[in-house]
Amino acid sequence: MYSMSNSTSLPPAGPGARVSVLRGGKPAAHGATAPVADSDDRTRDRVLNAVLEHGPVSAAELGDLLGFTPAAVRRHLDHLSRAGVIEVKRVARAGTGAGRPARRYVLSSQGQSTLGNDYLNIASSALRQLEEMAGAEAVRAFAVERFADMERRYEPEVEQAGTDITARAQALSAALSRDGFVSSTASIEAKAPLPAALSSVQLCQGHCPIQQLATQFPVFCDAETEMFSRLVGVDVRRLSTLARGGHVCTTHIPTGRPAATGADAPGVGQDTLHEVSNHLQERPL
């Protein structure tokens, strides 16, 4: 368990990982008050998990998702903000009209880092030594092999989705979520006068179990992006990564043409795989 200030803690990430708030504080003097505190803790767990999965998300959206009143949601958000686990992200409102930026909640960098695993420190030291002894290509080979194992496990599920890119992206997202990446997809439909071929899906990952490694060795993000491209059957582009300061990892997947599979699928290291320079782009609003 990873301790944080204000008696808040997050467990190591793993398949189906969920954030949890420690049952902190002193024992109640009378047993009758304990269930109330436990109920608050469980509710904060639900709010925190919803922020992790759907952030950036507004208090009103959280209330709709969880069935809570605005006052109840804001009380728990304030508690989690004071604990340093979440933070407010101000985003421009949709449309051309003027107005105050909307308040959206996301997992803080402290919260993201706490979701990590102590073994990452050992892995980081080992990879630095590997790079010193055998060069950067040895580290890349290690990263490629890690994601090759994931690709072998995910491929049957993605193939079952057929040739529709959106369906394949959704199947990939489901597999990622099962492994603790807290993944979701959002369809972006091109509107006239833009051609329908510009439509896309954005694949978002709210958690990265190897964020610390990816920050030091970006080749892990590159290898993962290449794996996504092969699985969905089109060239994809990374819009943001947790490793480079984004609140989510976002991958742009074009849906204007059928997926290429087999020998025609995008290969490793193709020049068409790029990460855009603005790494702080987030989920579509």
Side-chain angles (χ1 to χ4, degrees), residues 150-162 171 231:
M150 292 175 63
E151 185 173 353
R152 285 189 289 269
R153 290 189 292 109
Y154 293 174
E155 186 174 15
E157 298 177 49
V158 176
E159 288 300 319
Q160 284 184 353
L231 285 172

Side-chain angles (χ1 to χ4, degrees), residues 132-156:
E132 292 173 1
M133 297 174 61
E137 281 304 310
V139 177
R140 175 175 174 77
F142 179 88
V144 167
E145 179 55 34
R146 178 188 186 275
F147 287 106
D149 176 67
M150 292 175 63
E151 185 173 353
R152 285 189 289 269
R153 290 189 292 109
Y154 293 174
E155 186 174 15

Side-chain angles (χ1 to χ4, degrees), residues 44-260:
R44 289 188 190 114
D45 283 354
R46 292 183 62 196
V47 172
L48 188 56
N49 284 320
V51 172
L52 170 62
E53 184 168 357
H54 299 283
V57 62
S58 69
E61 290 168 339
L62 285 170
D64 290 340
L65 285 167
L66 301 173
F68 297 154
T69 65
V73 170
R74 292 187 185 282
R75 179 167 65 87
H76 293 299
L77 288 172
D78 288 344
H79 178 93
L80 295 170
S81 294
R82 288 193 301 271
V85 186
I86 65 172
E87 63 186 14
V88 174
K89 175 182 175 63
R90 293 189 178 275
V91 298
R93 297 180 185 274
T96 58
R100 296 176 60 185
R103 292 167 58 91
R104 303 283 179 135
Y105 292 89
V106 297
L107 207 66
S108 68
S109 58
Q110 179 182 352
Q112 288 285 358
S113 63
T114 309
L115 277 169
N117 191 312
D118 280 343
Y119 288 107
L120 290 179
N121 293 324
I122 300 173
S124 177
S125 297
L127 286 173
R128 281 197 297 268
Q129 291 188 24
L130 176 63
E131 186 175 41
E132 292 173 1
M133 297 174 61
E137 281 304 310
V139 177
R140 175 175 174 77
F142 179 88
V144 167
E145 179 55 34
R146 178 188 186 275
F147 287 106
D149 176 67
M150 292 175 63
E151 185 173 353
R152 285 189 289 269
R153 290 189 292 109
Y154 293 174
E155 186 174 15
E157 298 177 49
V158 176
E159 288 300 319
Q160 284 184 353
T163 59
D164 180 75
I165 299 296
T166 299
R168 294 174 74 90
Q170 290 170 345
L172 172 58
S173 177
L176 288 166
S177 288
R178 191 174 59 248
D179 277 354
F181 289 87
V182 193
S183 182
S184 63
T185 59
S187 295
I188 311 298
E189 300 296 331
K191 298 180 180 180
L194 297 175
L198 294 182
S199 296
S200 65
V201 167
Q202 288 196 359
L203 173 69
C204 296
Q205 297 158 261
H207 173 57
C208 175
I210 60 166
Q211 181 180 343
Q212 178 181 328
L213 286 181
T215 299
Q216 299 177 60
F217 302 96
V219 69
F220 281 91
C221 294
D222 297 340
E224 183 184 61
T225 305
E226 293 164 359
M227 176 190 72
F228 289 172
S229 184
R230 289 191 299 270
L231 285 172
V232 298
V234 294
D235 295 326
V236 306
R237 175 172 294 188
R238 261 292 159 65
L239 300 183
S240 69
T241 60
L242 289 160
R244 295 198 179 188
H247 289 297
V248 292
C249 294
T250 305
T251 304
H252 172 87
I253 303 174
T255 59
R257 57 188 175 87

